[in-house]
Amino acid sequence: MSYFAQPVQVVMLYENARAFDAAFKDLAVLDARLKSVLRDYGTWQSLKGYNTRNHLGLATDTQHITVQRYDEQMQMNGFADVLANPLATKLQPELALSITQHRRALLIEVGPGSVPGFATALRASKIAEALGDMNDPAMGLSDDQRGYEDRLAMAQYSVIGIMPEASANAIHWVQSQQLFEPRTFSPLAAHGFSLPLYCGPFLFGGEKTADGSVKAGVRALGSQNLLGKMVIFKPHTQDWARSYEQILAFIAYCRSIGRILGDGETFSADMPDAPVIRVTHKRDIPQLPEGYVELSRDDSVTAAKRSGLVDRLLGKFRN
C-alpha cells in the first residue's frame, strides 16, 4: 500500500502567540513527555543531529516522530481539503476560522524507519522498485497495516501528550482531513483505535427531490487506509449522519470478518426496521485507481433478507 511509507501528520493551531511562545520556547521541553506517552511503542532515542529549538525528533529502530514549530501562519494550501468540506465551513465556521487566524502552529509527523523522511524519499525515487523486493527494516522499507495503524495511535497520543503545555484552538488531523476542537479530539484520541478519527465524513451531492428533500452523499476520507479502498455512501435523503454511521459500521464489520464484503452483498443492523445496505465495488473515479466501495440503501429488499450485521457495531458509534 502506498500510504505505508507516508507519515501520519497532525497540525495543532494556536491564536495566542504569547502563550505559545512561553510554552514552546524550546521544543526540548516535549522530549520526556513524548517518550512517556509513546513508551508502549518501543524505546525512543532523541535525534541529536536533528533537534534544534524549533525541531524535535525521536526514533526507535522502526519508527520516528518529529515535531516542528511554526512562528507564523502555515501555508493555506495545506488546509485546502479540510476547508473544502461543508462540514468544516458551514457547521463549524468558528473552528474553520482558526485556520485563517492562527499565529503559531506545531506540525507532528509519525513515519516509518528510524530516519525522518528516508522511507518516503526512497519510495518516491523509485530506487526500491528498481531493486525489487527490499523488505529491509533497517532501511525503513518494511511496513505493514499494523505498523501504519500503530503510527495513527502514536500520532494521537502525541497530541494528547502535548495538549497540556498550551491550549490549541484547533487540531487538523490530516489523515482523514478533519478539524477538531481539543475538547472533541481528546475523547476520540485517548483510547487507541478510533474509527471516527480515522474516517472523516465529507459531504457531496445536495440534489433536491420533488418533495423538497435533499439527497446528500458521504465520502469517508481516510477509510482507504483501513480497508485498502475508500468507502462512499451514495446520495440519499436520509440524514447524512446516519449514512456516516453506516459507513463506520461497515468498516468495523469488514475488519471483524477479515475481508471486504463483495460486490452485490448486503448487510443490515439486527433490528426489525433497519434498512438494508447494498455493497457495490466501483472503479470510475480516476483519483481512486484502486477503486472504491459504494454503499447504498436498498429499499426494495426487506429486512428479513439482510445479512445480519449485529446492531452493537452501530451502537458503539452513537455516543
Side-chain angles (χ1 to χ4, degrees), residues 56-180:
L56 175 67
L58 305 174
T60 67
D61 291 340
T62 58
Q63 311 273 17
H64 69 267
I65 177 170
T66 61
V67 183
Q68 182 175 351
R69 164 183 166 154
Y70 286 80
D71 291 332
E72 57 188 17
Q73 275 200 358
M74 299 181 72
Q75 293 185 1
M76 288 296 105
N77 58 3
F79 303 102
D81 288 338
V82 72
L83 288 176
N85 192 341
L87 290 177
T89 55
K90 295 184 178 180
L91 297 186
Q92 299 176 299
E94 293 184 1
L95 193 57
L97 281 176
S98 297
I99 291 178
T100 57
Q101 295 181 352
H102 78 276
R103 300 175 62 192
R104 300 286 191 271
L106 293 176
L107 171 63
I108 302 164
E109 294 189 330
V110 186
S114 59
V115 180
F118 178 76
T120 302
L122 196 59
R123 289 190 184 278
S125 71
K126 305 297 183 181
I127 294 176
E129 181 180 328
L131 295 178
D133 185 15
M134 291 180 59
N135 285 322
D136 183 353
M139 296 184 69
L141 290 173
S142 179
D143 209 349
D144 54 20
Q145 186 67 30
R146 180 175 178 178
Y148 181 81
E149 292 179 10
D150 279 348
R151 292 201 296 279
L152 291 174
M154 285 187 274
Q156 67 199 55
Y157 291 146
S158 296
V159 176
I160 295 294
I162 292 172
M163 274 182 169
E165 297 294 337
S167 179
N169 294 92
I171 297 164
H172 179 202
W173 185 267
V174 180
Q175 175 263 338
S176 60
Q177 292 299 337
Q178 296 191 81
L179 198 62
F180 297 99

Side-chain angles (χ1 to χ4, degrees), residues 262-275:
D263 188 64
E265 288 193 81
T266 62
F267 71 96
S268 176
D270 193 15
M271 297 183 296
D273 298 325

Side-chain angles (χ1 to χ4, degrees), residues 169-209:
N169 294 92
I171 297 164
H172 179 202
W173 185 267
V174 180
Q175 175 263 338
S176 60
Q177 292 299 337
Q178 296 191 81
L179 198 62
F180 297 99
E181 293 180 334
R183 64 182 180 182
T184 303
F185 181 86
S186 293
L188 284 179
H191 302 293
F193 190 87
S194 178
L195 270 181
L197 178 61
Y198 307 151
C199 301
F202 187 102
L203 302 189
F204 69 98
E207 174 189 353
K208 288 188 176 181
T209 63

Side-chain angles (χ1 to χ4, degrees), residues 1 13 26 47 69 80 118 134 138 162 194-195 200 208 249 259 277 286 290 297 313 317:
M1 299 295 179
L13 301 171
D26 190 326
L47 297 177
R69 164 183 166 154
F118 178 76
M134 291 180 59
I162 292 172
S194 178
L195 270 181
K208 288 188 176 181
R259 70 176 182 90
I277 308 301
E290 70 281 2
R297 280 187 53 152
L313 289 174
F317 303 114

Side-chain angles (χ1 to χ4, degrees), residues 29 38 60 91 96 116 143 157 177 179 223-224 240 269 274 283 285 293 311:
V29 69
L38 300 174
T60 67
L91 297 186
D143 209 349
Y157 291 146
Q177 292 299 337
L179 198 62
S223 56
Q224 67 274 19
W240 71 264
R283 304 183 68 92
I285 298 180
V293 178
D311 189 50

Side-chain angles (χ1 to χ4, degrees), residues 266 268-276 298 300-308:
T266 62
S268 176
D270 193 15
M271 297 183 296
D273 298 325
V276 172
D298 192 338
S300 67
V301 180
T302 65
K305 295 181 180 179
R306 63 180 180 265
S307 63

Side-chain angles (χ1 to χ4, degrees), residues 177-311:
Q177 292 299 337
Q178 296 191 81
L179 198 62
F180 297 99
E181 293 180 334
R183 64 182 180 182
T184 303
F185 181 86
S186 293
L188 284 179
H191 302 293
F193 190 87
S194 178
L195 270 181
L197 178 61
Y198 307 151
C199 301
F202 187 102
L203 302 189
F204 69 98
E207 174 189 353
K208 288 188 176 181
T209 63
D211 63 1
S213 300
V214 177
K215 298 174 70 173
V218 180
R219 297 186 181 99
L221 304 185
S223 56
Q224 67 274 19
N225 302 142
L226 303 180
L227 288 185
K229 290 185 177 184
M230 183 177 289
V231 184
I232 299 175
F233 204 100
K234 186 177 180 179
H236 196 278
T237 55
Q238 72 176 357
D239 182 68
W240 71 264
R242 181 61 174 163
S243 298
Y244 175 55
E245 186 179 62
Q246 289 162 340
I247 288 175
L248 296 182
F250 170 77
I251 294 170
Y253 183 56
C254 290
R255 286 172 61 89
S256 72
I257 65 175
R259 70 176 182 90
I260 303 177
L261 292 182
D263 188 64
E265 288 193 81
T266 62
F267 71 96
S268 176
D270 193 15
M271 297 183 296
D273 298 325
V276 172
I277 308 301
R278 183 167 296 278
V279 178
T280 306
H281 289 251
K282 293 189 171 183
R283 304 183 68 92
D284 57 2
I285 298 180
Q287 294 81 2
L288 299 174
E290 70 281 2
Y292 63 97
V293 178
E294 182 185 76
L295 305 182
S296 59
R297 280 187 53 152
D298 192 338
D299 296 325
S300 67
V301 180
T302 65
K305 295 181 180 179
R306 63 180 180 265
S307 63
L309 174 61
V310 182
D311 189 50

